[in-house]
Amino acid sequence: MDLSDVVATAMFIGVVLYALFGGADFGSGFWDLTAGGPRRGSRLRVLIDHSIGPVWEANHVWLIYILVFLWTAYPTVFAAVMTTLFIPMSLALLGIVLRGANFAFRKYSATLGQARLFGALFAGASLITPFFFGTAVGAIASGRVPAEGNGDVWRSWLNPTSILGGTLAVGTSAFLAGVFLTADAARSGDDALAGYLRSRTLIVGGVTGAIAIAAIAPIRHDAPTLGAGLLGRALPLIALSAAAGVATLVLLYRRRFGWARVPAAAAVAAIVIGWAVAQTPWILVDQMLIVDAAGARPTLLALLAVVAVAAVTVLPALAYLFWLTQTDAWVRDQPGSPDQA
């Protein structure tokens, strides 16, 4: 394996992790948006705040990681993507800013009307970001980002592959968030809320799976290189994703909420990795190979050294943070909690 492929693999690990953690984070906005009015939706919104509150900022570490890798290791690709896709990338960034600001504002709202406004902006922005990131991925995967950059700023991301990519990004995020929130509700002892989320997550999962299957035909026509890869060397990963998705639905149906999180994460990870395998060895499909886009060898080696240091220093801290949230240990340590009484 060439050094450029090793660096691309390290970068893509960040893509997979952002799809999982960031996806579940963004997907919570779908459930916030569809929770209903203040009376019916209050318990679900409290659960969402409780679940993502400690980790929503940490999840964006992976986005920073990806962008730093891209502009450092593959600067020509970064320039090509940003000059061609600055509209969807800017809208995705706007969604991140609006989402974070309104998530904080609604907690300190002076009136119910303000809380509802900030909540709606938080929920809407949570859907904007994965959609536009998905359209950008579709543009790259369908060969619409030229190597020299400055491609068509509209048709590059307004096409069948990009729209399907954005739709699937929103659907998989909502499905992943639904699985995690159902498990959180059950762990907190709110069986009624867990049952409410269970039935709706089953529907979201079924609809998202159907869209994913139906998307194969238009993708083969609109992005033939990607389509051939998905039905070729990436087919085992696509099959694994489908099997893991079905397993998640079965576990949800049987109320094995904690266990359902494992195949749900596997389903999303497999489909994201399948996309990468399908377009390899292209970094910009039909435009530029990974090996041709890579920067200087000393730069690539320095990046890998930074990854090794981060694996030792950052990953344990993130793992500990997620352990605290999943065990609710951070709540037990708060003043006024039952364990402090």
Side-chain angles (χ1 to χ4, degrees):
M1 180 181 289
D2 188 85
L3 180 60
S4 62
D5 294 323
V6 175
V7 173
T9 301
M11 180 178 69
F12 202 78
I13 289 172
V15 175
V16 174
L17 292 172
Y18 192 54
L20 290 173
F21 296 112
D25 196 345
F26 290 127
S28 64
F30 170 83
W31 299 103
D32 192 293
L33 189 66
T34 59
R39 183 183 299 272
R40 186 167 68 89
S42 60
R43 286 160 56 203
L44 177 52
R45 293 190 175 100
V46 168
L47 176 68
I48 291 170
D49 288 354
H50 174 82
S51 298
I52 71 172
V55 299
W56 68 277
E57 290 180 291
N59 289 330
H60 293 300
V61 166
W62 301 114
L63 178 60
I64 298 169
Y65 172 92
I66 296 162
L67 292 176
V68 170
F69 249 85
L70 187 60
W71 81 55
T72 306
Y74 308 99
T76 55
V77 174
F78 181 83
V81 169
M82 293 304 169
T83 56
T84 301
L85 301 174
F86 67 88
I87 292 177
M89 297 299 285
S90 297
L91 291 172
L93 177 60
L94 177 64
I96 291 174
V97 173
L98 287 176
R99 180 180 187 274
N102 288 286
F103 181 68
F105 289 162
R106 80 169 175 181
K107 292 185 178 181
Y108 301 100
S109 301
T111 65
L112 177 60
Q114 289 181 355
R116 295 181 68 176
L117 173 62
F118 294 141
L121 289 172
F122 157 74
S126 296
L127 302 182
I128 287 173
T129 299
F131 178 79
F132 285 111
F133 275 146
T135 62
V137 168
I140 294 169
S142 60
R144 289 182 167 91
V145 178
E148 64 275 12
N150 295 300
D152 192 304
V153 297
W154 293 108
R155 286 184 293 181
S156 59
W157 61 280
L158 291 176
N159 58 77
T161 302
S162 290
I163 298 303
L164 285 169
T167 302
L168 287 173
V170 172
T172 54
S173 295
F175 177 58
L176 200 57
V179 174
F180 286 4
L181 288 171
T182 303
D184 286 348
R187 190 177 69 247
S188 68
D190 194 337
D191 293 334
L193 183 57
Y196 169 88
L197 286 166
R198 166 183 170 270
S199 59
R200 284 154 180 78
T201 302
L202 287 170
I203 295 172
V204 170
V207 170
T208 302
I211 293 173
I213 294 172
I216 294 175
I219 287 176
R220 288 189 66 188
H221 175 74
D222 187 62
T225 299
L226 177 67
L230 289 173
L231 296 178
R233 56 182 172 273
L235 187 58
L237 286 163
I238 304 304
L240 174 62
S241 178
V246 171
T248 304
L249 296 177
V250 171
L251 289 169
L252 280 176
Y253 181 78
R254 300 187 63 182
R255 299 181 183 274
R256 302 292 192 267
F257 301 134
W259 285 106
R261 293 176 296 184
V262 177
V268 174
I271 197 68
V272 174
I273 296 171
W275 154 55
V277 170
Q279 77 168 59
T280 301
W282 300 100
I283 191 167
L284 296 176
V285 173
D286 296 333
Q287 303 289 333
M288 184 177 288
L289 296 170
I290 294 172
V291 66
D292 294 333
R297 183 178 179 85
T299 301
L300 302 184
L301 291 173
L303 277 173
L304 293 178
V306 171
V307 170
V309 173
V312 175
T313 58
V314 178
L315 289 183
L318 287 175
Y320 182 59
L321 172 63
F322 284 106
W323 176 81
L324 286 176
T325 59
Q326 288 302 302
T327 59
D328 284 340
W330 66 281
V331 175
R332 293 196 296 270
D333 291 336
Q334 297 297 310
S337 67
D339 290 349
Q340 296 291 316

